[in-house]
């Protein structure tokens, strides 16, 4: 999906199986695994195949194009802007009985996805007040609207705000992930179209995880010299720097396939 989003999505043209297998081979993915990945993507409704003579080519379905477009917007915008914060919090209180473990898991997954943290059971917080509508949608779709309450307020005088943040989000693990990203790509200087395409694809593939791991807290709530800031600068710099040659290598493969 990273390959399709980075190279096929902007062109809106079918892609031959042999071409996708070749590009995935550059990423050390064996042909059998590449074909299985295509079959899974088709089964999930993201791509559709078309036979042309003895060959097969693949196109994005409308849901697949929408998924990749939304993903691209989120990936490429992530980390570009620092959010201003007025010190207010959105707090959501919603309780789910212990017996309904599946429902508790779905609630946790969706609220975490939306950037909420939970300092104590049944309480969710976010410094982004615009998340209120999304929280409303989540509890409604899960049938929890009657049990939910929300408040917006500044932190009070009891306890420390830093402690609440530490209990709500594991920033230490996130920092380690950012630093691994920085270590991996800072000194990477690929040469030649194939190497650049590989580096660009791996760069995007690794970066695409962070919008779902990072709650994007305002600077006031983050540790000093937050590694996420440096990682974002590195991603955007490398992506712009490598993009022309990676895209050209993709076009060269397309031309070779069409000529063949």
């Amino acid at each position: 999906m990273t390959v399709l989003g980075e190279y096929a999505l902007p062109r809106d043209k079918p892609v031959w199986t042999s071409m996708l297998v070749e590009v995935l081979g550059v990423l050390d993915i064996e042909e059998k695994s590449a074909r299985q990945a295509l079959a899974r993507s088709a089964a999930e409704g993201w791509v559709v195949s078309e036979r042309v003579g003895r060959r097969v080519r693949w196109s994005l379905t409308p849901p697949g194009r929408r998924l990749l477009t939304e993903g691209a917007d989120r990936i490429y915008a992530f980390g570009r802007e620092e959010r201003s914060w007025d010190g207010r919090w959105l707090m959501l209180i919603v309780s789910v009985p212990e017996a309904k473990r599946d429902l508790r898991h779905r609630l946790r997954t969706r609220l975490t996805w939306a950037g909420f943290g939970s300092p104590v059971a049944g309480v969710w917080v976010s410094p982004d007040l615009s998340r209120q509508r999304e929280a409303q949608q989540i509890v409604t779709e899960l049938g929890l609207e009657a049990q939910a309450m929300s408040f917006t307020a500044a932190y009070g005088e009891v306890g420390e705000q830093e402690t609440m943040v530490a209990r709500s989000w594991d920033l230490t693990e996130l920092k380690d992930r950012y630093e691994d990203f920085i270590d991996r790509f800072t000194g990477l200087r690929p040469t030649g179209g194939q190497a650049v395409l590989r580096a660009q694809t791996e760069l995007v593939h690794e970066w695409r995880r962070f919008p779902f791991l990072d709650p994007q807290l305002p600077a006031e709530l983050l540790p000093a010299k937050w590694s996420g800031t440096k990682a974002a600068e590195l991603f955007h710099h490398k992506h712009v720097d490598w993009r022309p040659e990676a895209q050209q290598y993709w076009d060269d493969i397309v031309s070779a396939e069409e000529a063949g």
Side-chain angles (χ1 to χ4, degrees):
M1 296 305 286
T2 301
V3 168
L4 291 173
E6 188 70 11
Y7 307 105
L9 178 67
R11 290 166 175 79
D12 194 22
K13 292 182 179 179
V15 183
W16 297 107
T17 301
S18 55
M19 180 177 171
L20 287 170
V21 167
E22 179 180 346
V23 172
L24 291 172
V26 172
L27 301 165
D28 296 331
I29 297 173
E30 296 181 355
E31 180 176 348
K32 181 180 179 180
S33 297
R35 291 181 181 275
Q36 288 174 342
L38 275 170
R40 285 197 303 271
S41 298
E44 292 171 2
W46 307 133
V47 295
V48 63
S49 63
E50 175 191 9
R51 182 168 292 278
V52 181
R54 299 177 63 181
R55 305 174 73 193
V56 175
R57 61 185 183 181
W58 299 84
S59 300
L60 291 167
T61 62
R65 174 165 292 279
R66 185 165 58 250
L67 175 75
L68 291 178
T69 299
E70 291 172 355
D73 291 343
R74 189 164 187 172
I75 292 166
Y76 303 141
F78 185 74
R80 283 194 176 277
E81 296 181 2
E82 184 176 306
R83 296 182 176 183
S84 60
W85 186 49
D86 63 2
R88 291 192 298 159
W89 288 89
L90 168 62
M91 181 169 66
L92 176 70
I93 301 175
V94 54
S95 59
V96 180
E98 179 66 29
K100 297 184 178 180
R101 293 187 177 181
D102 180 63
L103 182 58
R104 287 166 64 94
H105 174 72
R106 285 191 289 156
L107 177 67
R108 174 173 290 276
T109 299
R110 293 190 61 180
L111 287 175
T112 300
W113 182 285
F116 283 82
S118 180
V120 295
V123 177
W124 294 86
V125 295
S126 170
D128 185 355
L129 302 190
S130 69
R131 294 288 187 182
Q132 188 152 203
R133 180 174 296 179
E134 188 171 0
Q136 174 74 61
Q137 182 178 355
I138 291 170
V139 297
T140 299
E141 291 178 356
L142 294 179
L144 294 168
E145 191 172 15
Q147 294 98 304
M149 297 176 285
S150 66
F151 303 87
T152 57
Y155 194 88
E157 297 180 2
V158 179
E160 297 293 333
Q161 184 167 254
E162 291 78 7
T163 302
M164 183 184 74
V165 171
R167 288 178 178 174
S168 302
W169 296 279
D170 189 351
L171 295 181
T172 300
E173 181 182 353
L174 182 59
K175 176 179 73 71
D176 291 343
R177 284 176 174 260
Y178 273 131
E179 290 179 354
D180 288 344
F181 179 88
I182 293 167
D183 291 343
R184 179 175 178 182
F185 291 103
T186 294
L188 189 59
R189 294 178 176 81
T191 56
Q194 184 181 100
V196 174
L197 179 138
R198 173 173 178 150
Q200 177 81 326
T201 306
E202 291 178 343
L203 178 82
V204 174
H205 190 65
E206 290 300 315
W207 185 251
R208 69 184 303 161
R209 303 174 184 178
F210 287 111
F212 307 106
L213 296 172
D214 189 342
Q216 292 186 274
L217 300 178
E220 295 92 328
L221 300 176
L222 293 171
K225 298 181 180 179
W226 176 238
S227 55
T229 304
K230 183 177 180 181
E233 293 172 352
L234 175 66
F235 169 77
H236 292 294
H237 172 75
K238 292 287 189 182
H239 189 262
V240 170
D241 192 37
W242 291 341
R243 189 177 191 279
E245 194 166 358
Q247 296 289 332
Q248 184 59 55
Y249 187 76
W250 175 273
D251 287 335
D252 291 345
I253 299 176
V254 171
S255 297
E257 284 286 335
E258 291 175 348

mmCIF file with all atom_site columns, all heavy atoms in Angstrom, residues 215-234:
data_model
loop_
_atom_site.group_PDB
_atom_site.id
_atom_site.type_symbol
_atom_site.label_atom_id
_atom_site.label_alt_id
_atom_site.label_comp_id
_atom_site.label_asym_id
_atom_site.label_entity_id
_atom_site.label_seq_id
_atom_site.pdbx_PDB_ins_code
_atom_site.Cartn_x
_atom_site.Cartn_y
_atom_site.Cartn_z
_atom_site.occupancy
_atom_site.B_iso_or_equiv
_atom_site.pdbx_formal_charge
_atom_site.auth_seq_id
_atom_site.auth_comp_id
_atom_site.auth_asym_id
_atom_site.auth_atom_id
_atom_site.pdbx_PDB_model_num
ATOM 1   N N   . PRO A 1 215 ? 0.171  11.519 19.664 1.00 0.00 ? 215 PRO A N   1
ATOM 2   C CA  . PRO A 1 215 ? -1.044 12.311 19.895 1.00 0.00 ? 215 PRO A CA  1
ATOM 3   C C   . PRO A 1 215 ? -0.893 13.780 19.523 1.00 0.00 ? 215 PRO A C   1
ATOM 4   O O   . PRO A 1 215 ? -1.841 14.549 19.625 1.00 0.00 ? 215 PRO A O   1
ATOM 5   C CB  . PRO A 1 215 ? -1.265 12.163 21.401 1.00 0.00 ? 215 PRO A CB  1
ATOM 6   C CG  . PRO A 1 215 ? 0.106  11.959 21.959 1.00 0.00 ? 215 PRO A CG  1
ATOM 7   C CD  . PRO A 1 215 ? 0.823  11.124 20.927 1.00 0.00 ? 215 PRO A CD  1
ATOM 8   N N   . GLN A 1 216 ? 0.315  14.175 19.085 1.00 0.00 ? 216 GLN A N   1
ATOM 9   C CA  . GLN A 1 216 ? 0.579  15.554 18.672 1.00 0.00 ? 216 GLN A CA  1
ATOM 10  C C   . GLN A 1 216 ? 0.234  16.544 19.785 1.00 0.00 ? 216 GLN A C   1
ATOM 11  O O   . GLN A 1 216 ? -0.563 17.468 19.594 1.00 0.00 ? 216 GLN A O   1
ATOM 12  C CB  . GLN A 1 216 ? -0.190 15.891 17.397 1.00 0.00 ? 216 GLN A CB  1
ATOM 13  C CG  . GLN A 1 216 ? 0.310  15.142 16.166 1.00 0.00 ? 216 GLN A CG  1
ATOM 14  C CD  . GLN A 1 216 ? -0.376 15.620 14.910 1.00 0.00 ? 216 GLN A CD  1
ATOM 15  O OE1 . GLN A 1 216 ? -1.452 15.146 14.567 1.00 0.00 ? 216 GLN A OE1 1
ATOM 16  N NE2 . GLN A 1 216 ? 0.224  16.561 14.222 1.00 0.00 ? 216 GLN A NE2 1
ATOM 17  N N   . LEU A 1 217 ? 0.852  16.347 20.915 1.00 0.00 ? 217 LEU A N   1
ATOM 18  C CA  . LEU A 1 217 ? 0.653  17.254 22.029 1.00 0.00 ? 217 LEU A CA  1
ATOM 19  C C   . LEU A 1 217 ? 1.308  18.596 21.729 1.00 0.00 ? 217 LEU A C   1
ATOM 20  O O   . LEU A 1 217 ? 2.307  18.669 21.005 1.00 0.00 ? 217 LEU A O   1
ATOM 21  C CB  . LEU A 1 217 ? 1.270  16.661 23.303 1.00 0.00 ? 217 LEU A CB  1
ATOM 22  C CG  . LEU A 1 217 ? 0.708  15.306 23.756 1.00 0.00 ? 217 LEU A CG  1
ATOM 23  C CD1 . LEU A 1 217 ? 1.450  14.835 25.005 1.00 0.00 ? 217 LEU A CD1 1
ATOM 24  C CD2 . LEU A 1 217 ? -0.784 15.392 24.022 1.00 0.00 ? 217 LEU A CD2 1
ATOM 25  N N   . PRO A 1 218 ? 0.768  19.669 22.287 1.00 0.00 ? 218 PRO A N   1
ATOM 26  C CA  . PRO A 1 218 ? 1.409  20.976 22.106 1.00 0.00 ? 218 PRO A CA  1
ATOM 27  C C   . PRO A 1 218 ? 2.780  20.995 22.765 1.00 0.00 ? 218 PRO A C   1
ATOM 28  O O   . PRO A 1 218 ? 3.065  20.200 23.678 1.00 0.00 ? 218 PRO A O   1
ATOM 29  C CB  . PRO A 1 218 ? 0.437  21.935 22.792 1.00 0.00 ? 218 PRO A CB  1
ATOM 30  C CG  . PRO A 1 218 ? -0.388 21.094 23.691 1.00 0.00 ? 218 PRO A CG  1
ATOM 31  C CD  . PRO A 1 218 ? -0.472 19.747 23.062 1.00 0.00 ? 218 PRO A CD  1
ATOM 32  N N   . ALA A 1 219 ? 3.626  21.900 22.307 1.00 0.00 ? 219 ALA A N   1
ATOM 33  C CA  . ALA A 1 219 ? 5.016  21.948 22.777 1.00 0.00 ? 219 ALA A CA  1
ATOM 34  C C   . ALA A 1 219 ? 5.108  22.098 24.293 1.00 0.00 ? 219 ALA A C   1
ATOM 35  O O   . ALA A 1 219 ? 6.037  21.579 24.923 1.00 0.00 ? 219 ALA A O   1
ATOM 36  C CB  . ALA A 1 219 ? 5.744  23.099 22.089 1.00 0.00 ? 219 ALA A CB  1
ATOM 37  N N   . GLU A 1 220 ? 4.132  22.778 24.898 1.00 0.00 ? 220 GLU A N   1
ATOM 38  C CA  . GLU A 1 220 ? 4.167  23.007 26.342 1.00 0.00 ? 220 GLU A CA  1
ATOM 39  C C   . GLU A 1 220 ? 4.090  21.704 27.139 1.00 0.00 ? 220 GLU A C   1
ATOM 40  O O   . GLU A 1 220 ? 4.502  21.659 28.312 1.00 0.00 ? 220 GLU A O   1
ATOM 41  C CB  . GLU A 1 220 ? 3.002  23.904 26.770 1.00 0.00 ? 220 GLU A CB  1
ATOM 42  C CG  . GLU A 1 220 ? 3.056  25.310 26.214 1.00 0.00 ? 220 GLU A CG  1
ATOM 43  C CD  . GLU A 1 220 ? 2.304  25.447 24.889 1.00 0.00 ? 220 GLU A CD  1
ATOM 44  O OE1 . GLU A 1 220 ? 2.275  24.463 24.114 1.00 0.00 ? 220 GLU A OE1 1
ATOM 45  O OE2 . GLU A 1 220 ? 1.754  26.532 24.643 1.00 0.00 ? 220 GLU A OE2 1
ATOM 46  N N   . LEU A 1 221 ? 3.578  20.653 26.538 1.00 0.00 ? 221 LEU A N   1
ATOM 47  C CA  . LEU A 1 221 ? 3.389  19.382 27.243 1.00 0.00 ? 221 LEU A CA  1
ATOM 48  C C   . LEU A 1 221 ? 4.450  18.346 26.893 1.00 0.00 ? 221 LEU A C   1
ATOM 49  O O   . LEU A 1 221 ? 4.432  17.244 27.433 1.00 0.00 ? 221 LEU A O   1
ATOM 50  C CB  . LEU A 1 221 ? 2.001  18.810 26.923 1.00 0.00 ? 221 LEU A CB  1
ATOM 51  C CG  . LEU A 1 221 ? 0.806  19.687 27.300 1.00 0.00 ? 221 LEU A CG  1
ATOM 52  C CD1 . LEU A 1 221 ? -0.490 19.050 26.830 1.00 0.00 ? 221 LEU A CD1 1
ATOM 53  C CD2 . LEU A 1 221 ? 0.761  19.928 28.811 1.00 0.00 ? 221 LEU A CD2 1
ATOM 54  N N   . LEU A 1 222 ? 5.374  18.699 26.013 1.00 0.00 ? 222 LEU A N   1
ATOM 55  C CA  . LEU A 1 222 ? 6.391  17.757 25.563 1.00 0.00 ? 222 LEU A CA  1
ATOM 56  C C   . LEU A 1 222 ? 7.715  17.986 26.286 1.00 0.00 ? 222 LEU A C   1
ATOM 57  O O   . LEU A 1 222 ? 8.001  19.096 26.749 1.00 0.00 ? 222 LEU A O   1
ATOM 58  C CB  . LEU A 1 222 ? 6.609  17.914 24.057 1.00 0.00 ? 222 LEU A CB  1
ATOM 59  C CG  . LEU A 1 222 ? 5.441  17.497 23.163 1.00 0.00 ? 222 LEU A CG  1
ATOM 60  C CD1 . LEU A 1 222 ? 5.714  17.922 21.721 1.00 0.00 ? 222 LEU A CD1 1
ATOM 61  C CD2 . LEU A 1 222 ? 5.209  15.991 23.236 1.00 0.00 ? 222 LEU A CD2 1
ATOM 62  N N   . PRO A 1 223 ? 8.553  16.934 26.377 1.00 0.00 ? 223 PRO A N   1
ATOM 63  C CA  . PRO A 1 223 ? 9.884  17.118 26.964 1.00 0.00 ? 223 PRO A CA  1
ATOM 64  C C   . PRO A 1 223 ? 10.708 18.100 26.138 1.00 0.00 ? 223 PRO A C   1
ATOM 65  O O   . PRO A 1 223 ? 10.455 18.301 24.943 1.00 0.00 ? 223 PRO A O   1
ATOM 66  C CB  . PRO A 1 223 ? 10.493 15.707 26.896 1.00 0.00 ? 223 PRO A CB  1
ATOM 67  C CG  . PRO A 1 223 ? 9.330  14.784 26.743 1.00 0.00 ? 223 PRO A CG  1
ATOM 68  C CD  . PRO A 1 223 ? 8.287  15.544 25.979 1.00 0.00 ? 223 PRO A CD  1
ATOM 69  N N   . ALA A 1 224 ? 11.697 18.707 26.773 1.00 0.00 ? 224 ALA A N   1
ATOM 70  C CA  . ALA A 1 224 ? 12.595 19.626 26.058 1.00 0.00 ? 224 ALA A CA  1
ATOM 71  C C   . ALA A 1 224 ? 13.335 18.865 24.960 1.00 0.00 ? 224 ALA A C   1
ATOM 72  O O   . ALA A 1 224 ? 13.631 17.677 25.103 1.00 0.00 ? 224 ALA A O   1
ATOM 73  C CB  . ALA A 1 224 ? 13.573 20.249 27.037 1.00 0.00 ? 224 ALA A CB  1
ATOM 74  N N   . LYS A 1 225 ? 13.626 19.534 23.861 1.00 0.00 ? 225 LYS A N   1
ATOM 75  C CA  . LYS A 1 225 ? 14.329 18.944 22.727 1.00 0.00 ? 225 LYS A CA  1
ATOM 76  C C   . LYS A 1 225 ? 13.635 17.667 22.244 1.00 0.00 ? 225 LYS A C   1
ATOM 77  O O   . LYS A 1 225 ? 14.255 16.624 22.073 1.00 0.00 ? 225 LYS A O   1
ATOM 78  C CB  . LYS A 1 225 ? 15.790 18.663 23.085 1.00 0.00 ? 225 LYS A CB  1
ATOM 79  C CG  . LYS A 1 225 ? 16.587 19.907 23.441 1.00 0.00 ? 225 LYS A CG  1
ATOM 80  C CD  . LYS A 1 225 ? 18.034 19.599 23.765 1.00 0.00 ? 225 LYS A CD  1
ATOM 81  C CE  . LYS A 1 225 ? 18.802 20.862 24.110 1.00 0.00 ? 225 LYS A CE  1
ATOM 82  N NZ  . LYS A 1 225 ? 20.221 20.574 24.455 1.00 0.00 ? 225 LYS A NZ  1
ATOM 83  N N   . TRP A 1 226 ? 12.341 17.767 22.049 1.00 0.00 ? 226 TRP A N   1
ATOM 84  C CA  . TRP A 1 226 ? 11.523 16.630 21.649 1.00 0.00 ? 226 TRP A CA  1
ATOM 85  C C   . TRP A 1 226 ? 12.007 16.060 20.325 1.00 0.00 ? 226 TRP A C   1
ATOM 86  O O   . TRP A 1 226 ? 12.109 16.773 19.311 1.00 0.00 ? 226 TRP A O   1
ATOM 87  C CB  . TRP A 1 226 ? 10.068 17.061 21.553 1.00 0.00 ? 226 TRP A CB  1
ATOM 88  C CG  . TRP A 1 226 ? 9.095  16.041 21.068 1.00 0.00 ? 226 TRP A CG  1
ATOM 89  C CD1 . TRP A 1 226 ? 8.272  16.149 19.989 1.00 0.00 ? 226 TRP A CD1 1
ATOM 90  C CD2 . TRP A 1 226 ? 8.828  14.750 21.647 1.00 0.00 ? 226 TRP A CD2 1
ATOM 91  N NE1 . TRP A 1 226 ? 7.509  15.015 19.857 1.00 0.00 ? 226 TRP A NE1 1
ATOM 92  C CE2 . TRP A 1 226 ? 7.820  14.141 20.861 1.00 0.00 ? 226 TRP A CE2 1
ATOM 93  C CE3 . TRP A 1 226 ? 9.341  14.066 22.745 1.00 0.00 ? 226 TRP A CE3 1
ATOM 94  C CZ2 . TRP A 1 226 ? 7.322  12.871 21.143 1.00 0.00 ? 226 TRP A CZ2 1
ATOM 95  C CZ3 . TRP A 1 226 ? 8.839  12.805 23.026 1.00 0.00 ? 226 TRP A CZ3 1
ATOM 96  C CH2 . TRP A 1 226 ? 7.841  12.219 22.232 1.00 0.00 ? 226 TRP A CH2 1
ATOM 97  N N   . SER A 1 227 ? 12.331 14.770 20.297 1.00 0.00 ? 227 SER A N   1
ATOM 98  C CA  . SER A 1 227 ? 12.902 14.136 19.111 1.00 0.00 ? 227 SER A CA  1
ATOM 99  C C   . SER A 1 227 ? 11.915 14.084 17.954 1.00 0.00 ? 227 SER A C   1
ATOM 100 O O   . SER A 1 227 ? 12.314 13.972 16.792 1.00 0.00 ? 227 SER A O   1
ATOM 101 C CB  . SER A 1 227 ? 13.387 12.724 19.449 1.00 0.00 ? 227 SER A CB  1
ATOM 102 O OG  . SER A 1 227 ? 12.345 11.956 20.023 1.00 0.00 ? 227 SER A OG  1
ATOM 103 N N   . GLY A 1 228 ? 10.612 14.171 18.242 1.00 0.00 ? 228 GLY A N   1
ATOM 104 C CA  . GLY A 1 228 ? 9.624  14.166 17.173 1.00 0.00 ? 228 GLY A CA  1
ATOM 105 C C   . GLY A 1 228 ? 9.779  15.354 16.240 1.00 0.00 ? 228 GLY A C   1
ATOM 106 O O   . GLY A 1 228 ? 9.524  15.247 15.031 1.00 0.00 ? 228 GLY A O   1
ATOM 107 N N   . THR A 1 229 ? 10.211 16.477 16.779 1.00 0.00 ? 229 THR A N   1
ATOM 108 C CA  . THR A 1 229 ? 10.413 17.677 15.954 1.00 0.00 ? 229 THR A CA  1
ATOM 109 C C   . THR A 1 229 ? 11.541 17.455 14.959 1.00 0.00 ? 229 THR A C   1
ATOM 110 O O   . THR A 1 229 ? 11.417 17.758 13.764 1.00 0.00 ? 229 THR A O   1
ATOM 111 C CB  . THR A 1 229 ? 10.729 18.885 16.845 1.00 0.00 ? 229 THR A CB  1
ATOM 112 O OG1 . THR A 1 229 ? 9.678  19.051 17.799 1.00 0.00 ? 229 THR A OG1 1
ATOM 113 C CG2 . THR A 1 229 ? 10.871 20.149 16.013 1.00 0.00 ? 229 THR A CG2 1
ATOM 114 N N   . LYS A 1 230 ? 12.642 16.902 15.447 1.00 0.00 ? 230 LYS A N   1
ATOM 115 C CA  . LYS A 1 230 ? 13.790 16.627 14.573 1.00 0.00 ? 230 LYS A CA  1
ATOM 116 C C   . LYS A 1 230 ? 13.450 15.571 13.535 1.00 0.00 ? 230 LYS A C   1
ATOM 117 O O   . LYS A 1 230 ? 13.840 15.676 12.369 1.00 0.00 ? 230 LYS A O   1
ATOM 118 C CB  . LYS A 1 230 ? 14.984 16.177 15.416 1.00 0.00 ? 230 LYS A CB  1
ATOM 119 C CG  . LYS A 1 230 ? 16.252 15.941 14.609 1.00 0.00 ? 230 LYS A CG  1
ATOM 120 C CD  . LYS A 1 230 ? 17.417 15.568 15.510 1.00 0.00 ? 230 LYS A CD  1
ATOM 121 C CE  . LYS A 1 230 ? 18.683 15.332 14.690 1.00 0.00 ? 230 LYS A CE  1
ATOM 122 N NZ  . LYS A 1 230 ? 19.834 14.953 15.561 1.00 0.00 ? 230 LYS A NZ  1
ATOM 123 N N   . ALA A 1 231 ? 12.685 14.550 13.947 1.00 0.00 ? 231 ALA A N   1
ATOM 124 C CA  . ALA A 1 231 ? 12.301 13.487 13.019 1.00 0.00 ? 231 ALA A CA  1
ATOM 125 C C   . ALA A 1 231 ? 11.430 14.035 11.901 1.00 0.00 ? 231 ALA A C   1
ATOM 126 O O   . ALA A 1 231 ? 11.575 13.640 10.735 1.00 0.00 ? 231 ALA A O   1
ATOM 127 C CB  . ALA A 1 231 ? 11.577 12.380 13.777 1.00 0.00 ? 231 ALA A CB  1
ATOM 128 N N   . ALA A 1 232 ? 10.496 14.938 12.237 1.00 0.00 ? 232 ALA A N   1
ATOM 129 C CA  . ALA A 1 232 ? 9.617  15.524 11.223 1.00 0.00 ? 232 ALA A CA  1
ATOM 130 C C   . ALA A 1 232 ? 10.421 16.344 10.219 1.00 0.00 ? 232 ALA A C   1
ATOM 131 O O   . ALA A 1 232 ? 10.187 16.263 9.000  1.00 0.00 ? 232 ALA A O   1
ATOM 132 C CB  . ALA A 1 232 ? 8.548  16.386 11.888 1.00 0.00 ? 232 ALA A CB  1
ATOM 133 N N   . GLU A 1 233 ? 11.355 17.116 10.715 1.00 0.00 ? 233 GLU A N   1
ATOM 134 C CA  . GLU A 1 233 ? 12.208 17.916 9.814  1.00 0.00 ? 233 GLU A CA  1
ATOM 135 C C   . GLU A 1 233 ? 12.995 17.002 8.887  1.00 0.00 ? 233 GLU A C   1
ATOM 136 O O   . GLU A 1 233 ? 13.144 17.283 7.684  1.00 0.00 ? 233 GLU A O   1
ATOM 137 C CB  . GLU A 1 233 ? 13.145 18.794 10.638 1.00 0.00 ? 233 GLU A CB  1
ATOM 138 C CG  . GLU A 1 233 ? 12.428 19.891 11.423 1.00 0.00 ? 233 GLU A CG  1
ATOM 139 C CD  . GLU A 1 233 ? 13.351 20.629 12.380 1.00 0.00 ? 233 GLU A CD  1
ATOM 140 O OE1 . GLU A 1 233 ? 14.526 20.166 12.535 1.00 0.00 ? 233 GLU A OE1 1
ATOM 141 O OE2 . GLU A 1 233 ? 12.917 21.625 12.975 1.00 0.00 ? 233 GLU A OE2 1
ATOM 142 N N   . LEU A 1 234 ? 13.505 15.899 9.437  1.00 0.00 ? 234 LEU A N   1
ATOM 143 C CA  . LEU A 1 234 ? 14.280 14.955 8.636  1.00 0.00 ? 234 LEU A CA  1
ATOM 144 C C   . LEU A 1 234 ? 13.405 14.317 7.557  1.00 0.00 ? 234 LEU A C   1
ATOM 145 O O   . LEU A 1 234 ? 13.807 14.229 6.392  1.00 0.00 ? 234 LEU A O   1
ATOM 146 C CB  . LEU A 1 234 ? 14.864 13.875 9.552  1.00 0.00 ? 234 LEU A CB  1
ATOM 147 C CG  . LEU A 1 234 ? 15.600 12.727 8.865  1.00 0.00 ? 234 LEU A CG  1
ATOM 148 C CD1 . LEU A 1 234 ? 16.868 13.238 8.184  1.00 0.00 ? 234 LEU A CD1 1
ATOM 149 C CD2 . LEU A 1 234 ? 15.948 11.629 9.882  1.00 0.00 ? 234 LEU A CD2 1
#
